[in-house]
Amino acid sequence: MNAVIRGTGAYTPEKVLTNADFEKIVDTSDEWIVTRTGIKERRIISESETNSDLCLRAGQNALDMAGISAADLDMIIVGTVTPDYNLPSTAAVVQEKLGAANSAAFDVVAACAGFLHGLSIAHGFIVNGNIRRALVIGSEVLSRFTDYSDRSTCVLFGDGAGAVVVEAEDGAAPNGSGVLSSYLKADGTKTELLWIPAGGSTKPLDENNIKSRERYITMSGNEIYKLAVRSMCDAALKALDKAGVSTDEISWLIPHQANIRIIEGVAKRLKIPDQKVFLNIEKYGNTSAASVPIALDEANRKGLLKKGDYILMVAFGGGLTWGASLVRW
Ligand code: UT7
């Protein structure tokens, strides 16, 4: 049994914040942002939209491409750290909005690696014969947790959602299309390098922590940077090794879009040439769990992914969490 990606989808909000916009808000420059990160603009959710609205649009696009209806889904997984509510899961809200009455629904909290964790879970449920069809979404509204007075983080983040429909294929050859392998890892000793200190049950929001801006994302960018390159390479090699595929067989590397220099560093270490690395960071910035599925959908809709291609997806983020998945298209 294989778990095959039947459809991809994405949705990003209409509102665009450019680097020129940030020059008016904080002490920064287009030149700094582009050379240090590769980001030119990012999408920002409107006041009336929610995370689950982004999920709905991306998820529906993926269902349309797969040619199945929401009622056919057995499971909805949303990777997110910016849920609609603490309770219930965003996936449960999405289930209602999609009308996916026959599915289980839950969120996965693994920051920028959330989509790859979700994909790996769906893969496991499918190959074990427990379910046939899953909708895996990565979706974030980071703008609502971004401190727009902190130039070291605010220029980085954007909002959006990406999704895939994964379906069981009976009797498929083990080396046929589908998810071939995943590798997931965490290091909870470095939580405070990238986190939102207040707003959970440890430190519920109050006047003091709102004033001290602890409700926003704080990040030790430089330390995260170094760990990201090392960990993403390690995860990529472990996922490849599990599947018995070498780096030179890869057709596309679809990495988490956090920083163009991180991506270049990973590709260089893995000896994957630039033309096989999919990039869209300049348009969306870092959308955390949404970045890999948005990039996958864009590559797919551009017709870049051919049957039989090996696609390597890799991500790193808060937790710390990281991982890689290898898919045969
Ligand atoms: O998605 C999950 C994982 N997240 C990541 O992977 C992000 C990882 N980190 C990064 O991408 C990079 O570390 C950043 C883009 C966040 C920062 O780039 P950097 O090259 O590591 O810069 P830095 O933090 O070492 O800062 C260099 C300088 C500092 O000034 P001084 O102390 O050298 O005078 C900063 O204050 O750049 C300054 N700076 C800025 N200058 C203009 C920081 N942010 C800005 C800014 N505009 N927006």
Side-chain angles (χ1 to χ4, degrees):
M1 178 94 77
N2 282 2
V4 179
I5 294 180
R6 295 281 189 226
T8 62
Y11 175 73
T12 51
E14 274 172 32
K15 185 178 169 188
V16 175
L17 265 188
T18 65
N19 291 350
D21 294 325
F22 278 98
E23 287 175 349
K24 293 175 208 141
I25 305 172
V26 287
D27 180 15
T28 192
S29 65
D30 175 58
E31 198 263 333
W32 191 96
I33 302 171
V34 171
T35 54
R36 296 288 181 128
T37 73
I39 301 166
K40 290 186 178 160
E41 55 188 47
R42 59 300 278 149
R43 299 301 180 96
I44 304 295
I45 200 167
S46 69
E47 263 176 42
S48 61
E49 281 176 307
T50 62
N51 187 329
S52 58
D53 292 333
L54 307 188
C55 291
L56 177 67
R57 303 283 286 266
Q60 192 59 61
N61 287 340
L63 287 169
D64 291 346
M65 186 187 284
I68 68 165
S69 76
D72 297 325
L73 291 171
D74 303 310
M75 185 172 279
I76 298 171
I77 305 174
V78 175
T80 190
V81 288
T82 53
D84 279 15
Y85 311 102
N86 283 334
L87 176 73
S89 69
T90 300
V93 181
V94 173
Q95 185 209 28
E96 189 273 325
K97 287 187 175 176
L98 273 174
N102 303 310
S103 76
F106 57 92
D107 290 0
V108 173
V109 184
C112 309
F115 170 76
L116 294 183
H117 280 66
L119 184 64
S120 177
I121 293 166
H123 173 227
F125 271 94
I126 288 172
V127 296
N128 288 332
N130 287 313
I131 62 167
R132 291 198 63 80
R133 293 185 195 90
L135 177 64
V136 183
I137 303 172
S139 181
E140 303 284 9
V141 285
L142 295 171
S143 63
R144 298 215 172 121
F145 299 87
T146 296
D147 183 349
Y148 285 97
S149 68
D150 174 9
R151 70 174 182 175
S152 71
T153 54
C154 70
V155 300
L156 305 174
F157 301 120
D159 302 331
V164 297
V165 170
V166 196
E167 187 176 39
E169 189 169 279
D170 297 314
N175 60 350
S177 297
V179 181
L180 300 184
S181 64
S182 291
Y183 174 81
L184 305 174
K185 187 72 170 55
D187 181 357
T189 67
K190 297 189 175 65
T191 296
E192 292 174 23
L193 291 183
L194 174 47
W195 69 327
I196 300 173
S201 61
T202 301
K203 215 183 241 196
L205 285 185
D206 62 25
E207 227 174 272
N208 289 333
N209 59 44
I210 288 175
K211 225 180 268 170
S212 62
R213 313 191 81 75
E214 289 176 277
R215 56 175 292 231
Y216 295 121
I217 300 165
T218 66
M219 179 170 72
S220 305
N222 218 269
E223 284 169 78
I224 289 281
Y225 183 112
K226 288 176 221 149
L227 291 166
V229 175
R230 218 179 302 148
S231 307
M232 284 162 85
C233 288
D234 184 59
L237 292 174
K238 289 210 164 79
L240 287 167
D241 190 49
K242 274 192 197 181
V245 172
S246 66
T247 41
D248 50 15
E249 291 177 88
I250 298 301
S251 299
W252 284 102
L253 174 68
I254 302 201
H256 172 45
Q257 314 276 319
N259 185 315
I260 198 162
R261 293 181 297 139
I262 293 178
I263 296 172
E264 286 167 358
V266 170
K268 195 172 164 202
R269 282 192 188 199
L270 293 176
K271 299 193 174 64
I272 295 177
D274 292 352
Q275 66 272 20
K276 291 184 175 182
V277 180
F278 189 82
L279 290 173
N280 63 5
I281 188 170
E282 66 172 39
K283 290 189 289 185
Y284 305 119
N286 181 350
T287 57
S288 185
S291 98
V292 169
I294 290 174
L296 182 71
D297 179 60
E298 196 172 319
N300 190 22
R301 283 174 197 269
K302 281 184 171 161
L304 300 176
L305 313 180
K306 309 284 184 231
K307 193 165 169 48
D309 277 357
Y310 289 110
I311 316 291
L312 178 63
M313 295 176 276
V314 59
F316 179 92
L320 305 172
T321 52
W322 63 97
S325 288
L326 180 67
V327 171
R328 188 148 205 214
W329 209 248

